[in-house]
Structures are given as structure tokens and as C-alpha cells.
Amino acid sequence: MWFTALVVAVGLERLAELVVSKRHAAWAFSRGGVEYGRRHYGVMVVLHSALLVGAVAEVWGLDRPFLPVLGWPMLALVLASQALRWWCIRTLGPQWNTRVIVVPGLPLVSRGPYRVLRHPNYVAVVVEGLALPLVHTAWVTAVLFTVLNAALLTVRIQVEDRALQPEPVRA
């Protein structure tokens, strides 16, 4: 029961992210923002939703046990990933979005976690995707999400990196 409550809490956190993202998208579009990589966004939504559903279904359906030696450290990682994610959101401010929307002329952010990592939000996603199911030994969900997410992030990071390239100077 506690694990299901944790997954629901993470789901509610994701909904809060979507509210923030929608507000930030409106801000970006009102300033001439351009969206990139729209085709992969739906896949991302489905995969992240499947993580939540899959974790609960595996725990309940396959009667996965809670193993304290695994569960407590994984819970700590889930909480740390949430903290990192919100640090990224606060650092980027209105430039943060779940979609790839770039406002022309704005400089790249190089403070906060972006001082150290180019894509710290994806570190949070990877850690959470592995750790959340493992809080209650849902290892099949953890492995499937990790593999599928790695493929998705390969596409997503390429899209972001291309979108964030500076415009060539035209003479």
C-alpha cells in the first residue's frame, strides 16, 4: 500500500510538472519560441506513464516483496532525483519545459546543476526510472524502462543539442 502511495505521489508530481511546463510553453511561444522534436514527445509521455503503471502492476501482480536493504536506498535515490529535477526547473525558470522549446536569442543557462552537467534533468529521469520500481523490487519494470528510456534519451538529447546550437552568423 505504501509503495502505491509513493507512485501516486510521483504521478502527482509529474502532473505538477506538466502544469509548470504548460505555463512555461506559453511564455516561450509568446517570445517567439520554436518547438523541436515534437514527434518523440508522445512516446516520452507514454513511456513515463508506463513506468508508474508498470511499477505498481508488477508489485501487485507478481507479489514483489519490499526488501529493506534495497528499498530504503532506492527511496533515497527517488527523493534525490526529485530534488535534482526541481533544482533544474528552478534554475532554468521559464526556459524549462517538458517539450523542446527554444526562445531565439536567449543564452544557454550555465549555473546551478548546469554548471556541472549538460543535461542534469535527464540524470534525474534515469535515476528515478531505475530507483522507483526497485523501491519494491519491481526489477522487470526498472530494466524495461531503463532500456527504453536510454533509446528515447538518445533521440531527445540529439534533438535538444541541435535546437540549442547557436544560429550561424550570416554576412
Side-chain angles (χ1 to χ4, degrees):
M1 193 62 148
W2 289 110
F3 179 71
T4 302
L6 172 65
V7 173
V8 168
V10 170
L12 292 172
E13 185 278 331
R14 292 288 177 87
L15 291 174
E17 281 182 37
L18 291 175
V19 169
V20 171
S21 179
K22 187 173 181 174
R23 185 172 48 235
H24 289 180
W27 177 90
F29 287 135
S30 75
R31 286 159 178 77
V34 178
E35 184 172 3
Y36 298 85
R38 207 171 196 182
R39 290 186 313 203
H40 75 271
Y41 186 73
V43 174
M44 190 171 73
V45 170
V46 168
L47 181 60
H48 285 248
S49 299
L51 168 66
L52 303 176
V53 172
V56 171
E58 183 175 348
V59 166
W60 286 94
L62 298 179
D63 198 28
R64 298 289 192 217
F66 175 77
L67 302 176
V69 70
L70 177 65
W72 293 120
M74 291 301 107
L75 179 60
L77 288 175
V78 169
L79 297 174
S81 68
Q82 298 303 320
L84 176 57
R85 175 179 288 114
W86 283 98
W87 186 19
C88 292
I89 292 168
R90 289 196 38 86
T91 300
L92 289 177
Q95 289 178 260
W96 178 86
N97 206 294
T98 58
R99 295 156 52 188
V100 181
I101 304 171
V102 178
V103 177
L106 291 181
L108 284 178
V109 173
S110 58
R111 63 187 187 285
Y114 296 90
R115 246 188 349 248
V116 181
L117 298 168
R118 183 159 171 83
H119 298 285
N121 191 65
Y122 300 138
V123 171
V125 169
V126 167
V127 169
E128 179 191 66
L130 183 65
L132 180 62
L134 291 179
V135 167
H136 217 290
T137 65
W139 63 270
V140 172
T141 302
V143 169
L144 281 174
F145 178 84
T146 298
V147 168
L148 295 172
N149 190 52
L152 179 60
L153 282 179
T154 299
V155 171
R156 174 70 173 215
I157 289 171
Q158 288 174 356
V159 166
E160 265 190 31
D161 286 347
R162 279 194 302 270
L164 294 172
Q165 288 297 312
E167 290 288 320
V169 177
R170 294 187 176 25

